[in-house]
Amino acid sequence: MPVAPPGKPSKMIARQWWTEKKKSLTGACLAHAVHDGYTDALYVFLPVWQAQFGLSYAMLAVIRALYSGTMGGLQIPADRALRGLSPRASLILSTVLAAAGLLIMALPLGLPGLCVGLVVAGIGSSIQHPCGSMLVTVSYGAASRHPLGIYNFSGDLGKAALPALVAVLLPTVGWQPVLGMMAAIGLVLSAALLPLLPAVPITRAAKTKAAGRGRGGFGILTVIGALDTATRMGYLLFLPFLIHGQGGDSATVGLALALLFIGGALGKATCSLLGERLGVVGCVMVTEAATALLIAATLFTSLTPTLILLPLLGIVLNGTSSVLYGTVPELSNGDTGRAFAVFYTSVIGSGGLAPILYGAIADHSSQTTGVLASAATAALIVPLVLMLRPHLNASAAEPQGGSGLPRSA
């Protein structure tokens, strides 16, 4: 911590300390925006890859899962292996690896090169989530719920911007050069993170003894998060084809994704306000019921009404995750960093595996049945979330930390 000159009040110290926290939050948000932008921009490429490589819906989901499955499966190992590194080193390594994966995908190596690139990019993105979340949590301590919401919101900005940019460029530039451009954005970001992030490892929160009920609550929360993500990723698998079936082109697919994710970004604030009035349980019940109804509605509308519905669907489809995500520190068993890693492993792993199931359902029945399966998953959460109520009522835990973040060099 800086030392104030004689005669100067501690305001200068506080001002510099808050500057360090804001810089850390800004760096974490930039990394989150780019990595989440990478993740969801890949959906725009799915129809192109299907046509070029002759893939079924299930095979498309398998290809997609090479990225999301790697990213989800390595959350806990990445959190454990890189605890000795500074946030600066970890997040820059994460972004460079993700960009390298996109560069491999952009090379003329055919389907094998595409698969290898997706795995490499997934390894890079597996580092970002637990590191960025823990950096924000430790930086702000007991006041971390709102900064975590900002961090979560930043991912939606990337989800809204990159897919739209990719969709605009694809028809004229080609998918491989577009991937190269996306990789260049990541490399530029890596340089921008240098002055923002702490250059020494953070001191993690001390473990605390949590009640058994709190641990059970975290397990239920994780299952709900997995089902919520399965709903979202399953619907996103079919959305480009739904838009094409209604007469839209690639640019319209990008617009549809952008509208969905803009609604999702708005949903973070909307669901937070709704959560204050209804509580976590009431908010999740309302948003998941609305998600199921709106997903089903997009099956029976033409292109223009579908585009009108997508921002509303985005509010409930993405907004629920902010409520669940902000509850992780409250129900964690003392080690908040590991809790985030476990939570991300569950939700990202679900997001990678569930579309394979939905894709197989569509291949053996119809696209409509696959979309309805994702809607049914959202409806399943409504009774399940009632099991979370006693654990939330029993838990009074707050995020730990606040003094564990050293100054960056």
Side-chain angles (χ1 to χ4, degrees):
M1 289 285 294
V3 179
K8 293 284 184 181
S10 60
K11 288 184 178 180
M12 186 187 79
I13 299 177
R15 185 163 55 247
Q16 293 182 19
W17 174 240
W18 276 102
T19 298
E20 294 299 325
K21 291 203 285 189
K22 288 180 180 178
K23 286 168 61 178
S24 295
L25 178 61
T26 300
C29 287
L30 285 174
H32 195 198
V34 169
H35 282 267
D36 273 23
Y38 281 173
T39 298
D40 285 6
L42 294 178
Y43 285 103
V44 186
F45 294 95
L46 293 182
V48 179
W49 293 340
Q50 184 186 48
Q52 180 158 347
F53 300 114
L55 302 173
S56 66
Y57 286 125
M59 282 304 299
L60 268 180
V62 170
I63 294 294
R64 181 70 176 73
L66 291 175
Y67 174 85
S68 57
T70 302
M71 177 173 60
L74 294 181
Q75 296 284 318
I76 296 175
D79 175 66
R80 182 181 300 115
L82 300 179
R83 287 191 174 200
L85 293 183
S86 67
R88 177 187 295 178
S90 294
L91 288 177
I92 289 177
L93 173 64
S94 171
T95 308
V96 168
L97 278 176
L102 296 182
L103 286 175
I104 294 172
M105 294 163 62
L107 296 175
L109 301 176
L111 185 59
L114 177 66
C115 294
V116 171
L118 286 167
V119 171
V120 174
I123 293 172
S125 290
S126 72
I127 301 170
Q128 184 271 140
H129 279 119
C131 179
S133 301
M134 193 62 202
L135 174 60
V136 175
T137 301
V138 172
S139 298
Y140 285 85
S144 65
R145 181 176 289 272
H146 179 61
L148 281 172
I150 296 174
Y151 171 76
N152 201 17
F153 170 79
S154 69
D156 286 278
L157 296 180
K159 291 175 183 179
L162 270 183
L165 178 61
V166 168
V168 169
L169 294 176
L170 266 182
T172 55
V173 179
W175 67 273
Q176 289 168 315
V178 172
L179 283 170
M181 178 211 68
M182 291 171 61
I185 291 175
L187 295 176
V188 171
L189 170 73
S190 299
L193 293 177
L194 280 169
L196 293 174
L197 299 175
V200 291
I202 60 176
T203 302
R204 301 222 167 193
K207 292 187 178 181
T208 60
K209 294 182 180 179
R213 297 176 71 184
R215 293 181 64 184
F218 178 71
I220 297 169
L221 180 73
T222 302
V223 171
I224 292 171
L227 292 175
D228 177 67
T229 302
T231 300
R232 182 164 55 255
M233 297 307 181
Y235 185 70
L236 284 171
L237 173 69
F238 296 112
L239 180 58
F241 305 101
L242 185 65
I243 297 299
H244 279 304
Q246 295 175 349
D249 55 15
S250 294
T252 311
V253 171
L255 173 62
L257 289 168
L259 290 172
L260 188 72
F261 296 135
I262 288 170
L266 177 62
K268 299 304 168 73
T270 304
C271 290
S272 296
L273 294 174
L274 188 62
E276 291 179 1
R277 292 180 176 271
L278 301 181
V280 171
V281 173
C283 179
V284 172
M285 291 179 67
V286 168
T287 56
E288 294 296 349
T291 296
L293 291 174
L294 288 170
I295 286 177
T298 60
L299 287 171
F300 305 103
T301 53
S302 59
L303 181 59
T304 299
T306 296
L307 294 176
I308 294 172
L309 286 178
L310 285 176
L312 300 176
L313 175 56
I315 290 174
V316 291
L317 186 68
N318 278 18
T320 310
S321 66
S322 185
V323 178
L324 301 175
Y325 183 82
T327 311
V328 171
E330 180 181 347
L331 294 180
S332 66
N333 191 27
D335 190 342
T336 305
R338 177 175 172 78
F340 275 120
V342 171
F343 188 79
Y344 274 121
T345 298
S346 176
V347 300
I348 296 173
S350 170
L353 296 176
I356 298 176
L357 174 61
Y358 297 136
I361 291 172
D363 287 335
H364 290 87
S365 54
S366 67
Q367 176 183 294
T368 297
T369 304
V371 174
L372 288 175
S374 67
T377 306
L380 178 62
I381 296 174
V382 175
L384 181 61
V385 75
L386 291 172
M387 300 171 59
L388 195 62
R389 177 171 285 146
H391 301 286
L392 290 170
N393 290 342
S395 177
E398 292 290 344
Q400 300 294 316
S403 61
L405 178 63
R407 282 206 314 141
S408 59

